[in-house]
Amino acid sequence: RKEVEQDPGPFNVPEGATVAFNCTYSNSASQSFFWYRQDCRKEPKLLMSVYSSGNEDGRFTAQLNRASQYISLLIRDSKLSDSATYLCVVNRNSGNTPLVFGKGTRLSVIA
Amino acid sequence: GAVVSQHPSWVICKSGTSVKIECRSLDFQATTMFWYRQFPKQSLMLMATSNEGSKATYEQGVEKDKFLINHASLTLSTLTVTSAHPEDSSFYICSAGGALKYLEQYFGPGTRLTVT
């Protein structure tokens, strides 16, 4: 089983739509969880950290279920500029340890 | 957010030559930096963990004699691809963590290496 698994998509949605991405991770020792965004041929950029209580940043909402080892990202009112690959990321263990990346979910928002 | 730079942003070299990539944390000190590699349409794969003042820790399957990592200061780590081959052509990205918020990592812009 891969350490971090995501549906690769692509998800093609119209502007204004709500879209949700899911991710599962295999290492129960992981302590930190993130969603990164990566545009074509660019480096990943941190979108948001994911906390156990769930957290929201504008149109983006992230949820974590430790028991199921499941992470989600919800994007409301999609914009054309949201088109990118969204990477589910966990750290390998606690502390400042390497990040493990999912393959990413490709989102295309269409006018 | 924290700023991490990489140089060069892209490089083309001939097979058999060596290429050095620099990764700098510009506004914070990074005791640990990470080097990743990404092939087209693949996820980022960790190559090694670079610790300031000590030897790097390499992931399984990554040749430490081919990918030389030096982390001589708290703001600079270098990756040297020795005797490069076309299969080493990839997107190399470094990251540094623990800057503004503990456990978050910030990535350099990446270096696209093409070996001909």
Side-chain angles (χ1 to χ4, degrees), chain A:
Chain A
R1 183 184 172 188
K2 293 181 181 175
E3 288 189 80
V4 180
E5 293 204 63
Q6 294 181 252
D7 181 345
F11 285 61
N12 300 312
V13 302
E15 275 188 287
T18 295
V19 61
F21 304 139
N22 303 318
C23 164
T24 57
Y25 62 96
S26 61
N27 185 357
S28 59
S30 296
Q31 295 292 320
S32 300
F33 311 91
F34 311 95
W35 283 102
Y36 278 75
R37 168 193 170 132
Q38 186 174 26
D39 293 289
C40 189
R41 301 175 77 85
K42 298 284 188 181
E43 79 277 18
K45 292 188 184 295
L46 179 65
L47 181 65
M48 59 195 304
S49 301
V50 187
Y51 305 118
S52 296
S53 55
N55 49 301
E56 187 174 307
D57 183 1
R59 297 182 292 108
F60 300 86
T61 301
Q63 297 277 354
L64 168 65
N65 184 321
R66 284 185 184 271
S68 302
Q69 295 181 199
Y70 170 97
I71 307 163
S72 67
L73 176 68
L74 182 76
I75 305 176
R76 291 182 298 278
D77 189 23
S78 299
K79 312 290 184 190
L80 294 176
S81 57
D82 293 334
S83 298
T85 297
Y86 290 83
L87 306 171
C88 177
V89 184
V90 307
N91 74 331
R92 187 171 282 173
N93 286 295
S94 60
N96 196 9
T97 54
L99 298 180
V100 181
F101 287 79
K103 279 195 170 184
T105 299
R106 174 72 191 153
L107 171 66
S108 292
V109 181
I110 306 163

Side-chain angles (χ1 to χ4, degrees), chain B residues 6-21:
Chain B
Q6 266 184 257
H7 178 80
S9 55
W10 61 270
V11 58
I12 301 173
C13 72
K14 291 186 176 180
S15 188
T17 61
S18 295
V19 175
K20 179 186 282 189
I21 303 170

